[in-house]
Amino acid sequence: MKGSEVPEFPHRIDAGNFKAFFDATKQLSGEDEISLLKFAAAFCIPYNETGGSFHPTLEKGGKVWLPRTKKKDGDRKLVDFDEYGYFFWGIPGYKASYNKRDPPWTWPAGDQLQKMGLLDDKKQLEIWNGHPMWELGDPVNDKNYPKPLEDPRYPNPQSEPPKPAQRECHFFKFRGRGFTQTTGREGYIKYAEPALVPAGYKKVDELKNDELDKAFADPKVYVGVFHNELISPPGPHKQDFAKIDEDPGKLVIIGDRIAGLGANYGEFYAWRCKTLAAAMEEAGWTGG
């Protein structure tokens, strides 16, 4: 795609992946054709989640720029949370710990490792069941700034069998995948399972982490999940997308629902969708 980046749309678009994604409009939306505003609504979520690549992405751990309030590299520093620790730790102003207890949907890693027969030490069980918050501090000027991987609140296993087994624990297994970055066991059961099973895959609890990774690379799965989560979710918001044209305020509801409570993404998402639609109209889009 040609042109200069603008603040509200900073990423370039992968043209091939974009075409492949919207060639499946019928499967994505349930309609043969969609309005301009519905196109913008369907575009802006995967645009945001994939950085414009329109390739089904997998949420990955690693390093995080801290403090989150700083934007210049000289005022912040990359802090390593590791592949697993990123999902175990909560980071203020950025993300919550995924290692939560939320029955009947989600259980912390300690309970799961104990159920696997891999953990019986009471102290270790308590640590594995934790959902610690990483206090920011000043990683730039503090020479003794602590390391998340060495913090006693983080288990950081270096040996078998807990190290590979944690990949099957809920905090890691059900991290974000796909065009809507479906996250959490509840979301996987509600939105992914109805797409996985018809495509020939097992239910989410029967699939290993690596099997889920591969399944979400299958267009039959990621298109179905997108439809189930964004376009026509079960429950009270099932018709929100269908009503966008008559009630653009539904965009705020959709954005907040996809991003999660507390993210305050809905207003920005709605503005972004309307801005894109208006720019396309101004550029001469005709729908033909």
Side-chain angles (χ1 to χ4, degrees), residues 5-284:
E5 289 88 351
V6 290
E8 59 267 30
F9 295 99
H11 305 294
R12 294 179 180 271
I13 308 300
D14 185 297
N17 289 345
F18 168 86
K19 182 179 185 301
F21 184 75
F22 281 103
D23 276 350
T25 293
K26 172 69 174 180
Q27 293 78 17
L28 291 168
S29 68
E31 303 176 39
D32 292 320
E33 296 181 350
I34 55 176
S35 69
L36 178 57
L37 189 57
K38 285 182 178 178
F39 162 77
F43 169 89
C44 283
I45 292 294
Y47 169 82
N48 183 70
E49 299 293 359
T50 69
S53 73
F54 277 80
H55 182 275
T57 56
L58 170 65
E59 187 178 13
K60 296 181 179 180
K63 298 178 180 180
V64 178
W65 285 105
L66 296 179
R68 299 299 301 172
T69 54
K70 305 294 184 180
K71 300 301 180 183
K72 295 181 180 179
D73 289 354
D75 297 330
R76 58 183 185 168
K77 185 177 181 180
L78 278 172
V79 176
D80 188 12
F81 285 86
D82 187 56
E83 178 184 9
Y84 303 105
Y86 176 88
F87 302 102
F88 194 89
W89 282 101
I91 304 173
Y94 186 52
K95 61 175 290 294
S97 168
Y98 287 10
N99 194 47
K100 59 184 180 180
R101 185 187 303 278
D102 183 22
W105 303 109
T106 303
W107 286 270
D111 288 2
Q112 294 179 277
L113 292 171
Q114 185 181 47
K115 188 175 181 179
M116 295 176 197
L118 302 177
L119 190 66
D120 57 12
D121 180 87
K122 185 176 180 180
K123 179 63 176 178
Q124 286 300 310
L125 182 63
E126 181 180 344
I127 294 173
W128 275 105
N129 276 342
H131 49 278
M133 184 66 73
W134 184 254
E135 294 77 19
L136 296 183
D138 187 354
V140 177
N141 297 309
D142 184 355
K143 294 181 179 180
N144 297 313
Y145 188 76
K147 297 179 180 180
L149 303 184
E150 297 176 1
D151 191 288
R153 293 172 293 168
Y154 177 57
N156 192 21
Q158 300 296 327
S159 60
E160 312 290 341
K163 187 172 184 178
Q166 67 181 319
R167 297 179 66 83
E168 307 306 327
C169 293
H170 291 174
F171 82 94
F172 187 80
K173 178 180 177 180
F174 296 118
R175 65 203 187 283
R177 289 184 178 88
F179 287 102
T180 50
Q181 285 294 280
T182 303
T183 305
R185 181 171 173 268
E186 179 180 5
Y188 275 78
I189 290 175
K190 287 183 176 180
Y191 310 127
E193 198 160 280
L196 286 162
V197 175
Y201 295 91
K202 300 175 184 177
K203 294 183 177 181
V204 294
D205 286 336
E206 298 170 354
L207 290 170
K208 297 291 187 182
N209 172 76
D210 292 349
E211 292 173 323
L212 270 176
D213 289 350
K214 292 178 181 178
F216 265 75
D218 184 339
K220 295 191 296 294
V221 173
Y222 65 68
V223 167
V225 175
F226 183 89
H227 174 83
N228 296 339
E229 186 165 9
L230 181 73
I231 307 298
S232 186
H237 298 293
K238 188 176 182 66
Q239 296 299 317
D240 286 355
F241 187 87
K243 296 178 179 178
I244 285 173
D245 291 314
E246 59 191 78
D247 182 7
K250 295 291 186 184
L251 290 167
V252 178
I253 297 172
I254 292 171
D256 281 336
R257 180 174 59 79
I258 294 295
L261 294 175
N264 298 318
Y265 179 66
E267 292 286 351
F268 178 64
Y269 169 68
W271 173 83
R272 211 177 211 185
C273 293
K274 295 173 185 177
T275 299
L276 175 61
M280 290 178 67
E281 285 187 324
E282 184 178 350

